[in-house]
């Protein structure tokens, strides 16, 4: 309780300008700190929009994800249509060939989306939701420690002044 009171008193004195405020961050670091919130907002919104662009469901296993892709559904429909018509008809052959091509396209899309998710989406999420909040938390802790240091320094200098002015008898 006393520590919190001293911290609040020191903060008030620093705000009014009566107490010296220790600056521990350089100008460059202060500018980086100001941009940190902007980086968090941008990475968070980019993560959301990019995740929305992916056609497969994030986090599901490969087979389930493949079955949910529209290209896979189209390929399956074409192959089934080719089976109904038979390989002896021209339309059946064409549907079978197109179905196989669509399936290959779906597999390439799936691989591409997995790479995007692994290389871009997940790092953006970690940056926005883990790294930047940790930096902000550490910055608040540093500010609190600096305030405690300033408060202790002020109390120590006050005690020296008192003992100098009014020595004990």
């Amino acid at each position: 309780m006393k520590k919190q009171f001293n911290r609040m008193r020191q903060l008030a004195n620093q705000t009014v300008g009566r107490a010296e405020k220790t600056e521990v961050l350089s100008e460059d670091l202060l500018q980086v700190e100001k941009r940190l919130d902007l980086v968090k907002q941008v990475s968070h919104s980019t993560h959301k929009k990019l995740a929305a662009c992916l056609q497969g469901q994030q986090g599901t296993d490969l087979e389930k994800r493949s079955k949910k892709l529209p290209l896979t559904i189209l390929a399956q429909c074409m192959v089934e249509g080719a089976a109904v018509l038979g390989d002896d008809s021209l339309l059946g052959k064409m549907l079978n060939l197109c179905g196989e091509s669509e399936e290959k396209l779906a597999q390439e899309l799936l691989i591409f989306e997995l790479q995007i998710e692994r290389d871009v989406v997940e790092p953006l999420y970690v940056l926005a939701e883990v790294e930047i909040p940790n930096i902000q938390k550490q910055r608040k802790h540093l500010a609190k420690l600096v305030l405690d240091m300033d408060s202790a320094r002020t109390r120590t200098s006050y005690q020296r002044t008192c003992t100098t002015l009014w020595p004990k008898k």
Side-chain angles (χ1 to χ4, degrees), residues 61-114:
D61 68 331
L62 197 60
E63 193 171 316
K64 278 186 181 179
R65 205 170 175 163
S66 177
K67 287 181 181 179
K68 299 275 184 180
L69 284 177
L71 287 176
T72 305
I73 296 169
L74 176 62
Q76 185 179 9
C77 179
M78 288 179 165
V79 169
E80 288 172 1
V84 168
L85 293 176
D87 282 341
D88 55 337
S89 72
L90 184 59
L91 184 58
K93 288 179 183 179
M94 191 238 2
L95 281 175
N96 193 27
L97 182 63
C98 289
E100 291 172 0
S101 299
E102 287 293 326
E103 183 61 36
K104 288 177 185 176
L105 284 173
Q107 291 304 316
E108 288 297 320
L109 178 64
L110 185 62
I111 291 169
F112 173 72
E113 285 189 356
L114 287 172

Side-chain angles (χ1 to χ4, degrees), residues 157-168:
S157 67
Y158 176 74
Q159 289 171 351
R160 283 190 205 133
T161 305
C162 288
T163 56
T164 306
L165 293 175
W166 300 290
K168 291 184 181 179

Side-chain angles (χ1 to χ4, degrees), residues 11-24:
L11 188 60
N13 285 338
Q14 287 177 352
T15 303
V16 174
R18 291 186 286 187
E20 183 179 320
K21 187 175 183 179
T22 305
E23 294 295 332
V24 291

